[in-house]
Amino acid sequence: EFPAGDEGFHTYSELTTELEDAAADHPDITQLSDVGSSHEGRTIPLLKISGDAARDADEPEVLFTCNQHAREHLTTEMCLRIVERFTDDYGTDRTVTDFVDSREIYVIPTVNPDGSEHDIEGGQYQGWRKNRQGRGTDLNRNWGYKWGCCGGSSGYPGSETYRGEAAFSAPETAAVRDFVDSRVVDGEQQIEGHIDFHTYGELVLWPFGHTTDDVTEDMTEQQAQRFRDVGRELADSNGYTPQQSSDLYVTDGDVNGWMWGEHRILSFTFEMYPADGSGLDGFYPDDEDIAPETERNDEAVDILLREAGA
Ligand SMILES: NS(=O)(=O)N[C@@H](Cc1ccccc1)C(=O)O
Ligand SMILES: [Ca+2]
Ligand SMILES: [Ca+2]
Ligand SMILES: [Zn+2]
């Protein structure tokens, strides 16, 4: 459970109930399923939000993933904000209604349910980051594009950035990979935009992470420029700082590298609130911060949904 005073955050079971309620309350515009199971056997839920959701329409698709890193619980709340806004406000808010009717929105509120539950074991924050396989794999170093290529991850199982024994050795990254791979229809990837939410630092990040080069294999100048332009627009909307992720530090096997490198999906990472903090406390904001710091990204979500149709 969450520590006393932080009840506003959702445990795995509360999250599951939230999604079931959203689907029950809005049957025409939602479809609740899953992308598979975690190492410890927890279902990794997937909610589709779209007009006539039961049908696969020829509409641009967008994916939001949250909680790859266990202790980054604010990101789970960010995905639930997206679910709440695009279901509860459908039919009343014009912008929301237009997007739900013209896009297919996929939300995965927790990629790492095992780690997230471990992090709050006994009502005490554990400071846990990874999944719960062995000594833990850093899911954001386990993706299969340029996996372990460039000193942006560790091969030591005890490391916080342990890349795993192989690309997609974690069942959680493999499950999300399989879902995204399944969205290739008639040879064309239907998902056009993606945001992976993290905490903390108030940053908008784009690929690649494995090299400091802007232009490189799988990234032309025009493509890099589009990331810069959209990244700047996203950051202007929420006050975060925009940069290529390798300007922060070099990573390999991260999700953005795979989404773009493998599928050419316009893929960003948002590092949410706070901008800075001393060590672990930055990962554990008050639950009073949930509403303002998730609503802060409403406009950015709309920008990505717009871009997906561009
Ligand atoms: N959330 S965080 O503190 O772990 N930071 C992220 C930052 C990050 C995210 C995506 C690509 C490169 C780097 C990380 O995976 O290291
Ligand atoms: Ca639809
Ligand atoms: Ca479709
Ligand atoms: Zn993270």
mmCIF file of all heavy atoms in Angstrom, residues 7-52:
data_model
loop_
_atom_site.group_PDB
_atom_site.id
_atom_site.type_symbol
_atom_site.label_atom_id
_atom_site.label_comp_id
_atom_site.label_asym_id
_atom_site.label_seq_id
_atom_site.Cartn_x
_atom_site.Cartn_y
_atom_site.Cartn_z
ATOM 1 N N GLU A 7 -2.416 8.365 -0.145
ATOM 2 C CA GLU A 7 -3.473 7.466 -0.617
ATOM 3 C C GLU A 7 -3.984 7.863 -2.005
ATOM 4 O O GLU A 7 -4.663 7.082 -2.661
ATOM 5 C CB GLU A 7 -4.657 7.445 0.361
ATOM 6 C CG GLU A 7 -4.358 6.781 1.690
ATOM 7 C CD GLU A 7 -3.682 7.721 2.687
ATOM 8 O OE1 GLU A 7 -3.419 8.885 2.329
ATOM 9 O OE2 GLU A 7 -3.417 7.278 3.813
ATOM 10 N N GLY A 8 -3.684 9.088 -2.450
ATOM 11 C CA GLY A 8 -4.162 9.529 -3.763
ATOM 12 C C GLY A 8 -3.550 8.767 -4.921
ATOM 13 O O GLY A 8 -4.083 8.739 -6.021
ATOM 14 N N PHE A 9 -2.423 8.101 -4.665
ATOM 15 C CA PHE A 9 -1.799 7.274 -5.704
ATOM 16 C C PHE A 9 -2.526 5.931 -5.788
ATOM 17 O O PHE A 9 -3.064 5.450 -4.786
ATOM 18 C CB PHE A 9 -0.310 7.063 -5.399
ATOM 19 C CG PHE A 9 0.517 8.314 -5.539
ATOM 20 C CD1 PHE A 9 0.753 9.120 -4.429
ATOM 21 C CD2 PHE A 9 1.044 8.694 -6.766
ATOM 22 C CE1 PHE A 9 1.513 10.288 -4.553
ATOM 23 C CE2 PHE A 9 1.809 9.864 -6.899
ATOM 24 C CZ PHE A 9 2.039 10.650 -5.786
ATOM 25 N N HIS A 10 -2.565 5.349 -6.993
ATOM 26 C CA HIS A 10 -3.275 4.095 -7.217
ATOM 27 C C HIS A 10 -2.362 2.886 -7.070
ATOM 28 O O HIS A 10 -1.340 2.796 -7.763
ATOM 29 C CB HIS A 10 -3.910 4.081 -8.608
ATOM 30 C CG HIS A 10 -5.050 5.031 -8.770
ATOM 31 N ND1 HIS A 10 -4.890 6.398 -8.872
ATOM 32 C CD2 HIS A 10 -6.384 4.808 -8.838
ATOM 33 C CE1 HIS A 10 -6.076 6.973 -8.984
ATOM 34 N NE2 HIS A 10 -6.999 6.040 -8.975
ATOM 35 N N THR A 11 -2.762 1.938 -6.233
ATOM 36 C CA THR A 11 -2.088 0.639 -6.203
ATOM 37 C C THR A 11 -2.490 -0.122 -7.470
ATOM 38 O O THR A 11 -3.410 0.303 -8.189
ATOM 39 C CB THR A 11 -2.532 -0.178 -4.976
ATOM 40 O OG1 THR A 11 -3.936 -0.461 -5.116
ATOM 41 C CG2 THR A 11 -2.274 0.590 -3.684
ATOM 42 N N TYR A 12 -1.844 -1.253 -7.710
ATOM 43 C CA TYR A 12 -2.166 -2.045 -8.905
ATOM 44 C C TYR A 12 -3.634 -2.440 -8.933
ATOM 45 O O TYR A 12 -4.307 -2.305 -9.974
ATOM 46 C CB TYR A 12 -1.272 -3.293 -8.977
ATOM 47 C CG TYR A 12 -1.599 -4.194 -10.137
ATOM 48 C CD1 TYR A 12 -1.291 -3.824 -11.445
ATOM 49 C CD2 TYR A 12 -2.251 -5.414 -9.938
ATOM 50 C CE1 TYR A 12 -1.599 -4.648 -12.518
ATOM 51 C CE2 TYR A 12 -2.573 -6.240 -11.003
ATOM 52 C CZ TYR A 12 -2.241 -5.855 -12.297
ATOM 53 O OH TYR A 12 -2.568 -6.670 -13.348
ATOM 54 N N SER A 13 -4.173 -2.872 -7.811
ATOM 55 C CA SER A 13 -5.587 -3.296 -7.815
ATOM 56 C C SER A 13 -6.510 -2.097 -7.992
ATOM 57 O O SER A 13 -7.524 -2.180 -8.704
ATOM 58 C CB SER A 13 -5.916 -4.068 -6.531
ATOM 59 O OG SER A 13 -5.847 -3.199 -5.421
ATOM 60 N N GLU A 14 -6.149 -0.952 -7.396
ATOM 61 C CA GLU A 14 -6.976 0.258 -7.573
ATOM 62 C C GLU A 14 -6.938 0.724 -9.033
ATOM 63 O O GLU A 14 -7.941 1.161 -9.593
ATOM 64 C CB GLU A 14 -6.484 1.371 -6.643
ATOM 65 C CG GLU A 14 -6.785 1.118 -5.175
ATOM 66 C CD GLU A 14 -5.992 2.013 -4.237
ATOM 67 O OE1 GLU A 14 -4.978 2.623 -4.690
ATOM 68 O OE2 GLU A 14 -6.354 2.088 -3.057
ATOM 69 N N LEU A 15 -5.782 0.580 -9.651
ATOM 70 C CA LEU A 15 -5.617 0.950 -11.063
ATOM 71 C C LEU A 15 -6.493 0.061 -11.944
ATOM 72 O O LEU A 15 -7.216 0.537 -12.823
ATOM 73 C CB LEU A 15 -4.144 0.811 -11.453
ATOM 74 C CG LEU A 15 -3.773 0.525 -12.912
ATOM 75 C CD1 LEU A 15 -4.100 1.714 -13.767
ATOM 76 C CD2 LEU A 15 -2.298 0.212 -13.017
ATOM 77 N N THR A 16 -6.463 -1.227 -11.644
ATOM 78 C CA THR A 16 -7.263 -2.179 -12.416
ATOM 79 C C THR A 16 -8.755 -1.849 -12.306
ATOM 80 O O THR A 16 -9.475 -1.821 -13.306
ATOM 81 C CB THR A 16 -6.984 -3.617 -11.909
ATOM 82 O OG1 THR A 16 -5.570 -3.853 -11.978
ATOM 83 C CG2 THR A 16 -7.703 -4.641 -12.769
ATOM 84 N N THR A 17 -9.184 -1.543 -11.105
ATOM 85 C CA THR A 17 -10.584 -1.165 -10.877
ATOM 86 C C THR A 17 -10.936 0.106 -11.636
ATOM 87 O O THR A 17 -11.995 0.200 -12.261
ATOM 88 C CB THR A 17 -10.831 -0.966 -9.368
ATOM 89 O OG1 THR A 17 -10.517 -2.182 -8.689
ATOM 90 C CG2 THR A 17 -12.281 -0.576 -9.092
ATOM 91 N N GLU A 18 -10.015 1.067 -11.632
ATOM 92 C CA GLU A 18 -10.225 2.336 -12.337
ATOM 93 C C GLU A 18 -10.471 2.095 -13.821
ATOM 94 O O GLU A 18 -11.379 2.674 -14.440
ATOM 95 C CB GLU A 18 -8.984 3.212 -12.139
ATOM 96 C CG GLU A 18 -9.207 4.690 -12.291
ATOM 97 C CD GLU A 18 -10.056 5.288 -11.170
ATOM 98 O OE1 GLU A 18 -9.976 4.803 -10.031
ATOM 99 O OE2 GLU A 18 -10.826 6.220 -11.474
ATOM 100 N N LEU A 19 -9.668 1.213 -14.418
ATOM 101 C CA LEU A 19 -9.804 0.921 -15.845
ATOM 102 C C LEU A 19 -11.106 0.171 -16.134
ATOM 103 O O LEU A 19 -11.798 0.450 -17.113
ATOM 104 C CB LEU A 19 -8.596 0.123 -16.338
ATOM 105 C CG LEU A 19 -7.242 0.847 -16.284
ATOM 106 C CD1 LEU A 19 -6.126 -0.098 -16.711
ATOM 107 C CD2 LEU A 19 -7.258 2.094 -17.145
ATOM 108 N N GLU A 20 -11.443 -0.769 -15.258
ATOM 109 C CA GLU A 20 -12.696 -1.533 -15.432
ATOM 110 C C GLU A 20 -13.907 -0.600 -15.349
ATOM 111 O O GLU A 20 -14.852 -0.701 -16.139
ATOM 112 C CB GLU A 20 -12.790 -2.653 -14.397
ATOM 113 C CG GLU A 20 -11.819 -3.795 -14.673
ATOM 114 C CD GLU A 20 -11.619 -4.724 -13.474
ATOM 115 O OE1 GLU A 20 -12.109 -4.393 -12.368
ATOM 116 O OE2 GLU A 20 -10.954 -5.768 -13.646
ATOM 117 N N ASP A 21 -13.839 0.356 -14.409
ATOM 118 C CA ASP A 21 -14.943 1.320 -14.264
ATOM 119 C C ASP A 21 -15.050 2.215 -15.494
ATOM 120 O O ASP A 21 -16.148 2.469 -16.000
ATOM 121 C CB ASP A 21 -14.723 2.188 -13.011
ATOM 122 C CG ASP A 21 -14.902 1.400 -11.721
ATOM 123 O OD1 ASP A 21 -15.341 0.222 -11.795
ATOM 124 O OD2 ASP A 21 -14.569 1.940 -10.652
ATOM 125 N N ALA A 22 -13.912 2.672 -16.008
ATOM 126 C CA ALA A 22 -13.915 3.541 -17.196
ATOM 127 C C ALA A 22 -14.542 2.801 -18.380
ATOM 128 O O ALA A 22 -15.357 3.349 -19.123
ATOM 129 C CB ALA A 22 -12.498 3.993 -17.531
ATOM 130 N N ALA A 23 -14.161 1.533 -18.531
ATOM 131 C CA ALA A 23 -14.690 0.736 -19.644
ATOM 132 C C ALA A 23 -16.189 0.482 -19.477
ATOM 133 O O ALA A 23 -16.959 0.555 -20.446
ATOM 134 C CB ALA A 23 -13.928 -0.581 -19.732
ATOM 135 N N ALA A 24 -16.612 0.241 -18.234
ATOM 136 C CA ALA A 24 -18.029 -0.028 -17.971
ATOM 137 C C ALA A 24 -18.876 1.231 -18.173
ATOM 138 O O ALA A 24 -19.983 1.176 -18.698
ATOM 139 C CB ALA A 24 -18.190 -0.556 -16.548
ATOM 140 N N ASP A 25 -18.318 2.381 -17.782
ATOM 141 C CA ASP A 25 -19.062 3.649 -17.880
ATOM 142 C C ASP A 25 -19.109 4.187 -19.312
ATOM 143 O O ASP A 25 -19.981 4.983 -19.643
ATOM 144 C CB ASP A 25 -18.414 4.712 -16.972
ATOM 145 C CG ASP A 25 -18.497 4.341 -15.498
ATOM 146 O OD1 ASP A 25 -19.247 3.390 -15.172
ATOM 147 O OD2 ASP A 25 -17.801 4.971 -14.679
ATOM 148 N N HIS A 26 -18.157 3.764 -20.160
ATOM 149 C CA HIS A 26 -18.074 4.316 -21.519
ATOM 150 C C HIS A 26 -17.872 3.191 -22.529
ATOM 151 O O HIS A 26 -16.870 3.157 -23.245
ATOM 152 C CB HIS A 26 -16.920 5.323 -21.618
ATOM 153 C CG HIS A 26 -16.963 6.399 -20.569
ATOM 154 N ND1 HIS A 26 -17.719 7.546 -20.712
ATOM 155 C CD2 HIS A 26 -16.368 6.495 -19.352
ATOM 156 C CE1 HIS A 26 -17.579 8.298 -19.641
ATOM 157 N NE2 HIS A 26 -16.767 7.685 -18.794
ATOM 158 N N PRO A 27 -18.815 2.245 -22.616
ATOM 159 C CA PRO A 27 -18.610 1.037 -23.425
ATOM 160 C C PRO A 27 -18.387 1.296 -24.915
ATOM 161 O O PRO A 27 -17.649 0.555 -25.567
ATOM 162 C CB PRO A 27 -19.887 0.222 -23.190
ATOM 163 C CG PRO A 27 -20.896 1.191 -22.670
ATOM 164 C CD PRO A 27 -20.138 2.256 -21.944
ATOM 165 N N ASP A 28 -18.995 2.368 -25.464
ATOM 166 C CA ASP A 28 -18.873 2.593 -26.908
ATOM 167 C C ASP A 28 -17.505 3.130 -27.317
ATOM 168 O O ASP A 28 -17.061 2.926 -28.448
ATOM 169 C CB ASP A 28 -19.950 3.588 -27.383
ATOM 170 C CG ASP A 28 -21.362 3.007 -27.178
ATOM 171 O OD1 ASP A 28 -21.445 1.784 -26.907
ATOM 172 O OD2 ASP A 28 -22.338 3.771 -27.260
ATOM 173 N N ILE A 29 -16.848 3.832 -26.386
ATOM 174 C CA ILE A 29 -15.581 4.477 -26.794
ATOM 175 C C ILE A 29 -14.363 3.845 -26.125
ATOM 176 O O ILE A 29 -13.259 4.379 -26.241
ATOM 177 C CB ILE A 29 -15.604 5.999 -26.504
ATOM 178 C CG1 ILE A 29 -15.810 6.282 -25.005
ATOM 179 C CG2 ILE A 29 -16.659 6.686 -27.369
ATOM 180 C CD1 ILE A 29 -15.536 7.736 -24.640
ATOM 181 N N THR A 30 -14.562 2.717 -25.432
ATOM 182 C CA THR A 30 -13.394 2.065 -24.815
ATOM 183 C C THR A 30 -13.376 0.574 -25.115
ATOM 184 O O THR A 30 -14.418 -0.049 -25.389
ATOM 185 C CB THR A 30 -13.407 2.222 -23.274
ATOM 186 O OG1 THR A 30 -14.596 1.591 -22.762
ATOM 187 C CG2 THR A 30 -13.360 3.684 -22.864
ATOM 188 N N GLN A 31 -12.169 0.010 -25.061
ATOM 189 C CA GLN A 31 -12.003 -1.442 -25.137
ATOM 190 C C GLN A 31 -10.843 -1.799 -24.201
ATOM 191 O O GLN A 31 -9.714 -1.319 -24.401
ATOM 192 C CB GLN A 31 -11.670 -1.847 -26.577
ATOM 193 C CG GLN A 31 -11.647 -3.342 -26.833
ATOM 194 C CD GLN A 31 -11.349 -3.639 -28.304
ATOM 195 O OE1 GLN A 31 -10.373 -3.128 -28.860
ATOM 196 N NE2 GLN A 31 -12.214 -4.433 -28.931
ATOM 197 N N LEU A 32 -11.142 -2.558 -23.147
ATOM 198 C CA LEU A 32 -10.136 -2.940 -22.153
ATOM 199 C C LEU A 32 -9.590 -4.316 -22.486
ATOM 200 O O LEU A 32 -10.342 -5.270 -22.664
ATOM 201 C CB LEU A 32 -10.747 -2.922 -20.742
ATOM 202 C CG LEU A 32 -9.817 -3.295 -19.584
ATOM 203 C CD1 LEU A 32 -8.620 -2.342 -19.520
ATOM 204 C CD2 LEU A 32 -10.594 -3.276 -18.266
ATOM 205 N N SER A 33 -8.264 -4.390 -22.604
ATOM 206 C CA SER A 33 -7.627 -5.685 -22.830
ATOM 207 C C SER A 33 -6.275 -5.649 -22.118
ATOM 208 O O SER A 33 -6.095 -4.892 -21.161
ATOM 209 C CB SER A 33 -7.466 -5.945 -24.331
ATOM 210 O OG SER A 33 -6.628 -4.959 -24.916
ATOM 211 N N ASP A 34 -5.332 -6.462 -22.590
ATOM 212 C CA ASP A 34 -4.007 -6.420 -21.974
ATOM 213 C C ASP A 34 -2.961 -6.767 -23.025
ATOM 214 O O ASP A 34 -3.295 -7.282 -24.091
ATOM 215 C CB ASP A 34 -3.920 -7.382 -20.773
ATOM 216 C CG ASP A 34 -4.033 -8.838 -21.192
ATOM 217 O OD1 ASP A 34 -3.012 -9.405 -21.657
ATOM 218 O OD2 ASP A 34 -5.149 -9.397 -21.096
ATOM 219 N N VAL A 35 -1.703 -6.488 -22.705
ATOM 220 C CA VAL A 35 -0.629 -6.806 -23.660
ATOM 221 C C VAL A 35 0.144 -8.056 -23.222
ATOM 222 O O VAL A 35 1.072 -8.469 -23.920
ATOM 223 C CB VAL A 35 0.347 -5.611 -23.832
ATOM 224 C CG1 VAL A 35 -0.386 -4.423 -24.449
ATOM 225 C CG2 VAL A 35 1.003 -5.215 -22.517
ATOM 226 N N GLY A 36 -0.244 -8.636 -22.086
ATOM 227 C CA GLY A 36 0.444 -9.820 -21.575
ATOM 228 C C GLY A 36 0.626 -9.713 -20.074
ATOM 229 O O GLY A 36 -0.072 -8.944 -19.411
ATOM 230 N N SER A 37 1.580 -10.490 -19.537
ATOM 231 C CA SER A 37 1.780 -10.539 -18.089
ATOM 232 C C SER A 37 3.212 -10.230 -17.699
ATOM 233 O O SER A 37 4.145 -10.399 -18.485
ATOM 234 C CB SER A 37 1.427 -11.934 -17.560
ATOM 235 O OG SER A 37 0.070 -12.217 -17.795
ATOM 236 N N SER A 38 3.363 -9.780 -16.466
ATOM 237 C CA SER A 38 4.672 -9.468 -15.897
ATOM 238 C C SER A 38 5.379 -10.743 -15.423
ATOM 239 O O SER A 38 4.798 -11.826 -15.441
ATOM 240 C CB SER A 38 4.470 -8.557 -14.682
ATOM 241 O OG SER A 38 3.803 -9.297 -13.648
ATOM 242 N N HIS A 39 6.610 -10.578 -14.974
ATOM 243 C CA HIS A 39 7.392 -11.710 -14.476
ATOM 244 C C HIS A 39 6.663 -12.460 -13.369
ATOM 245 O O HIS A 39 6.651 -13.699 -13.360
ATOM 246 C CB HIS A 39 8.742 -11.197 -13.963
ATOM 247 C CG HIS A 39 9.588 -12.240 -13.326
ATOM 248 N ND1 HIS A 39 10.158 -13.275 -14.041
ATOM 249 C CD2 HIS A 39 9.950 -12.428 -12.030
ATOM 250 C CE1 HIS A 39 10.851 -14.052 -13.214
ATOM 251 N NE2 HIS A 39 10.742 -13.554 -11.987
ATOM 252 N N GLU A 40 6.019 -11.705 -12.473
ATOM 253 C CA GLU A 40 5.310 -12.350 -11.356
ATOM 254 C C GLU A 40 3.864 -12.699 -11.705
ATOM 255 O O GLU A 40 3.087 -13.100 -10.844
ATOM 256 C CB GLU A 40 5.378 -11.454 -10.109
ATOM 257 C CG GLU A 40 6.788 -11.342 -9.547
ATOM 258 C CD GLU A 40 6.876 -10.378 -8.366
ATOM 259 O OE1 GLU A 40 5.967 -9.524 -8.194
ATOM 260 O OE2 GLU A 40 7.862 -10.486 -7.614
ATOM 261 N N GLY A 41 3.475 -12.476 -12.986
ATOM 262 C CA GLY A 41 2.159 -12.940 -13.417
ATOM 263 C C GLY A 41 1.042 -11.927 -13.325
ATOM 264 O O GLY A 41 -0.135 -12.284 -13.434
ATOM 265 N N ARG A 42 1.369 -10.650 -13.157
ATOM 266 C CA ARG A 42 0.335 -9.612 -13.163
ATOM 267 C C ARG A 42 0.005 -9.230 -14.601
ATOM 268 O O ARG A 42 0.913 -9.044 -15.433
ATOM 269 C CB ARG A 42 0.784 -8.368 -12.382
ATOM 270 C CG ARG A 42 0.927 -8.609 -10.877
ATOM 271 C CD ARG A 42 1.305 -7.340 -10.140
ATOM 272 N NE ARG A 42 1.355 -7.537 -8.700
ATOM 273 C CZ ARG A 42 2.434 -8.028 -8.060
ATOM 274 N NH1 ARG A 42 3.522 -8.361 -8.743
ATOM 275 N NH2 ARG A 42 2.394 -8.175 -6.739
ATOM 276 N N THR A 43 -1.276 -9.086 -14.895
ATOM 277 C CA THR A 43 -1.702 -8.631 -16.218
ATOM 278 C C THR A 43 -1.249 -7.195 -16.436
ATOM 279 O O THR A 43 -1.324 -6.378 -15.515
ATOM 280 C CB THR A 43 -3.240 -8.719 -16.302
ATOM 281 O OG1 THR A 43 -3.602 -10.093 -16.147
ATOM 282 C CG2 THR A 43 -3.754 -8.196 -17.619
ATOM 283 N N ILE A 44 -0.759 -6.901 -17.610
ATOM 284 C CA ILE A 44 -0.366 -5.534 -17.982
ATOM 285 C C ILE A 44 -1.500 -4.961 -18.815
ATOM 286 O O ILE A 44 -1.642 -5.284 -20.001
ATOM 287 C CB ILE A 44 0.961 -5.526 -18.764
ATOM 288 C CG1 ILE A 44 2.071 -6.141 -17.911
ATOM 289 C CG2 ILE A 44 1.319 -4.101 -19.213
ATOM 290 C CD1 ILE A 44 3.366 -6.420 -18.662
ATOM 291 N N PRO A 45 -2.375 -4.121 -18.214
ATOM 292 C CA PRO A 45 -3.596 -3.682 -18.895
ATOM 293 C C PRO A 45 -3.345 -2.697 -20.033
ATOM 294 O O PRO A 45 -2.368 -1.944 -20.032
ATOM 295 C CB PRO A 45 -4.412 -2.990 -17.791
ATOM 296 C CG PRO A 45 -3.694 -3.213 -16.517
ATOM 297 C CD PRO A 45 -2.287 -3.554 -16.844
ATOM 298 N N LEU A 46 -4.240 -2.758 -21.000
ATOM 299 C CA LEU A 46 -4.233 -1.862 -22.168
ATOM 300 C C LEU A 46 -5.647 -1.342 -22.371
ATOM 301 O O LEU A 46 -6.591 -2.133 -22.475
ATOM 302 C CB LEU A 46 -3.806 -2.647 -23.413
ATOM 303 C CG LEU A 46 -4.008 -1.974 -24.774
ATOM 304 C CD1 LEU A 46 -3.005 -0.835 -24.962
ATOM 305 C CD2 LEU A 46 -3.868 -2.994 -25.902
ATOM 306 N N LEU A 47 -5.805 -0.038 -22.386
ATOM 307 C CA LEU A 47 -7.121 0.542 -22.671
ATOM 308 C C LEU A 47 -7.067 1.270 -24.005
ATOM 309 O O LEU A 47 -6.186 2.109 -24.223
ATOM 310 C CB LEU A 47 -7.564 1.523 -21.577
ATOM 311 C CG LEU A 47 -9.015 1.999 -21.733
ATOM 312 C CD1 LEU A 47 -9.998 0.879 -21.394
ATOM 313 C CD2 LEU A 47 -9.279 3.220 -20.861
ATOM 314 N N LYS A 48 -7.970 0.915 -24.898
ATOM 315 C CA LYS A 48 -8.134 1.624 -26.167
ATOM 316 C C LYS A 48 -9.282 2.611 -26.021
ATOM 317 O O LYS A 48 -10.351 2.241 -25.503
ATOM 318 C CB LYS A 48 -8.437 0.649 -27.307
ATOM 319 C CG LYS A 48 -8.712 1.342 -28.654
ATOM 320 C CD LYS A 48 -9.140 0.340 -29.715
ATOM 321 C CE LYS A 48 -9.454 1.013 -31.039
ATOM 322 N NZ LYS A 48 -9.914 0.036 -32.073
ATOM 323 N N ILE A 49 -9.089 3.844 -26.434
ATOM 324 C CA ILE A 49 -10.128 4.870 -26.389
ATOM 325 C C ILE A 49 -10.307 5.406 -27.810
ATOM 326 O O ILE A 49 -9.365 5.941 -28.405
ATOM 327 C CB ILE A 49 -9.750 6.032 -25.451
ATOM 328 C CG1 ILE A 49 -9.384 5.518 -24.055
ATOM 329 C CG2 ILE A 49 -10.915 7.041 -25.360
ATOM 330 C CD1 ILE A 49 -8.729 6.559 -23.156
ATOM 331 N N SER A 50 -11.528 5.209 -28.337
ATOM 332 C CA SER A 50 -11.807 5.681 -29.690
ATOM 333 C C SER A 50 -13.291 5.571 -29.961
ATOM 334 O O SER A 50 -13.944 4.678 -29.401
ATOM 335 C CB SER A 50 -11.043 4.832 -30.714
ATOM 336 O OG SER A 50 -11.232 5.356 -32.020
ATOM 337 N N GLY A 51 -13.815 6.455 -30.830
ATOM 338 C CA GLY A 51 -15.204 6.282 -31.232
ATOM 339 C C GLY A 51 -15.349 4.900 -31.862
ATOM 340 O O GLY A 51 -14.458 4.486 -32.613
ATOM 341 N N ASP A 52 -16.413 4.202 -31.537
ATOM 342 C CA ASP A 52 -16.624 2.848 -32.071
ATOM 343 C C ASP A 52 -15.404 1.981 -31.793
ATOM 344 O O ASP A 52 -14.823 1.362 -32.711
ATOM 345 C CB ASP A 52 -16.914 2.960 -33.572
ATOM 346 C CG ASP A 52 -17.369 1.643 -34.172
ATOM 347 O OD1 ASP A 52 -17.680 0.714 -33.381
ATOM 348 O OD2 ASP A 52 -17.387 1.532 -35.407
#
